[in-house]
Amino acid sequence: MTFNGADQGQPDIRLFAFQTAGRILFGRGQAHNVHQLVRAFGLRVLLVRGRAVPFVDLLCARMRDAGCDVTEVFAGNEPTLADVESAVEQGRSMMVNVVVSVGGGSVIDLGKAAAALIPSKSAALDHLEVVGKGQPLSAPPLPFIAVPTTSGTGAEVTKNAVIAVPVEGRKVSLRDDRMFPNLAIIDPALTDNSPRSVTLASGLDAITQVIEPYLSNRATPMTDAICRQAIPLGLEALASLMKVESPAARDWLAYTSLIGGVALSNAGLGAVHGLAGVIGGRSAAPHGVICGRLLGPILKLNHERAVAAGTDATRYHDICVCLASCFELDERTAFADLPSKLDQLGLPRLSDWLGHKSDLAVIAKEASTSSSMKANPFVIGPEALMDAIGDAI
């Protein structure tokens, strides 16, 4: 399945910049040589990892056999400010000179933040957006290598780390152009046989992150080109994995996740992620679940704004047709029907985390000031955002 022609709402080529990780290695088997690649950056290693992937134990042993001094940091759920401060303290005390993250997006974000802050003499809050001072890093980050084990966030190729600040009830970014990983190693084999629920939630995040940059008011010809290809590939792969395990589908979903990270770093995101940062900061709802539940309502809302404004809605039509084909929906109403399809696939609704007492008005107001919301193709007021949250509940 492919989208229509290249000229879709971009009549002129504007000035733009393009950034991504220093080097990207993609494909099955790429993870076999991680220990050798690490040695080129340093021998005192801070390894940020989860506990669920056996490969990390093997990698740790291989690095030590290769002469590396390895300090392990075990990551839990999405990193908090306290988690970052602890990892930074461990890295500084061991005088590490390279940071390696192996795990999902949260693990990669924790490692990325540690690599950014270990050389610095300033506090983390000096550099956090929204709740902090948002200052640039005071020193260049340590070399950072990212090895994802899920297909979702694309954090292996982004320049920010998402950090939860519980006292503020927010998730915010630590962001600097120098935070792009020096090396991103994407081996889809590390995602094989992931639990179906994890695949669905993380896959919906990956798909959202190629759709939002494609519709973004900051889209460029380069981000358009990679997103236009990745949207149908990612949707087809996820739909396939909901039926049967498939190495080929795992490969394409990992590719979609990678492209999402590249695209969002250069074109921004939109209202789905603007809301997700606030909802995730106020609840324990998984990020991928939030994105999946908000995707249909926000697409419907943006499409209605495009039609009302008389702007070119071709991109929305193409996404709608693609969703309909992959998830067996009516292409005329695919945005509105997506929530019901996700019910059938077993994705939880946000009512599991946002009860009737939740102050949706506060969530909508806070989301309207987020960095992701600034790239949304249309300005959406708090009342409309509340309606979108209501559709996700």
Side-chain angles (χ1 to χ4, degrees), residues 51 101 123 350:
R51 298 182 184 273
S101 279
L350 297 188

Side-chain angles (χ1 to χ4, degrees), residues 27-392:
R28 289 181 174 262
Q30 291 285 11
H32 293 168
N33 296 319
V34 173
H35 61 292
Q36 296 175 353
L37 295 166
V38 169
R39 283 180 54 87
F41 292 94
L43 295 179
R44 296 191 302 277
V45 182
L46 185 71
L47 175 62
V48 183
R49 54 168 296 183
R51 298 182 184 273
V53 181
F55 166 76
V56 194
D57 293 326
L58 176 62
L59 172 61
C60 189
R62 285 176 171 173
M63 285 194 295
R64 285 175 173 148
D65 289 344
C68 295
D69 182 5
V70 182
T71 300
E72 295 180 84
V73 171
F74 289 88
N77 296 321
E78 294 173 335
T80 64
L81 178 57
D83 294 330
V84 171
E85 291 171 340
S86 176
V88 169
E89 183 179 352
Q90 290 183 70
R92 287 174 179 169
S93 66
M94 298 305 295
M95 294 185 290
V96 301
N97 52 21
V98 60
V99 180
V100 181
S101 279
V102 184
S106 297
V107 175
I108 293 175
D109 277 353
L110 179 56
K112 194 186 302 179
L117 294 173
I118 286 170
S120 173
K121 295 182 180 180
S122 50
L125 274 173
D126 288 343
H127 308 290
L128 290 183
E129 297 177 347
V130 182
V131 302
K133 297 179 181 178
Q135 296 176 348
L137 296 175
S138 56
L142 291 179
F144 177 59
I145 299 172
V147 186
T149 60
T150 61
S151 298
T153 67
E156 67 272 14
V157 288
T158 62
K159 60 182 176 181
N160 70 299
V162 179
I163 309 299
V165 186
V167 69
E168 299 285 349
R170 297 291 294 268
K171 287 182 183 178
V172 297
S173 280
L174 171 66
R175 190 189 312 270
D176 192 286
D177 284 349
R178 294 168 291 179
M179 284 176 59
F180 281 105
N182 300 79
L183 177 61
I185 303 169
I186 303 96
D187 187 335
L190 297 179
T191 72
D192 285 349
N193 299 303
S194 295
R196 187 175 184 275
S197 60
V198 173
T199 300
L200 178 59
S202 60
L204 287 166
D205 186 22
I207 287 164
T208 302
Q209 290 182 170
V210 287
I211 288 177
E212 287 203 295
Y214 188 57
L215 301 175
S216 166
N217 58 33
R218 301 175 186 168
T220 74
M222 288 187 72
T223 59
D224 282 352
I226 58 177
C227 289
R228 188 179 294 120
Q229 179 202 41
I231 292 170
L233 289 172
L235 283 168
E236 289 171 356
L238 182 58
S240 175
L241 288 166
M242 289 302 96
K243 298 174 182 177
V244 62
E245 180 66 23
S246 164
R250 292 284 179 192
D251 291 354
W252 284 117
L253 195 57
Y255 174 77
T256 301
S257 179
L258 167 65
I259 294 304
V262 172
L264 74 87
S265 295
N266 290 281
L269 288 163
V272 172
H273 278 83
L275 285 166
V278 179
I279 294 172
R282 287 174 164 266
S283 72
H287 178 73
V289 172
I290 301 172
C291 291
R293 279 298 173 190
L294 290 170
L295 180 59
I298 293 297
L299 280 172
K300 180 175 179 290
L301 184 57
N302 277 329
H303 181 222
E304 290 171 349
R305 295 293 173 91
V307 171
T311 59
D312 187 354
T314 303
R315 296 180 183 223
Y316 296 94
H317 173 266
D318 287 343
I319 294 168
C320 200
V321 170
C322 190
L323 278 169
S325 175
C326 293
F327 288 132
E328 300 173 345
L329 303 172
D330 186 330
E331 65 182 47
R332 296 169 298 179
T333 57
F335 296 158
D337 295 343
L338 182 59
S340 295
K341 181 62 179 182
L342 296 180
D343 289 340
Q344 296 172 22
L345 293 174
L347 189 75
R349 283 189 173 263
L350 297 188
S351 56
D352 288 2
W353 295 275
L354 298 180
H356 294 297
K357 295 182 180 180
S358 295
D359 192 344
L360 302 189
V362 173
I363 291 175
K365 183 178 180 180
E366 289 183 359
S368 65
T369 65
S370 70
S371 57
S372 291
M373 196 68 73
K374 296 174 183 177
N376 198 67
F378 299 95
V379 175
I380 301 177
E383 187 172 327
L385 292 175
M386 288 175 61
D387 291 340
I389 301 171
D391 290 340

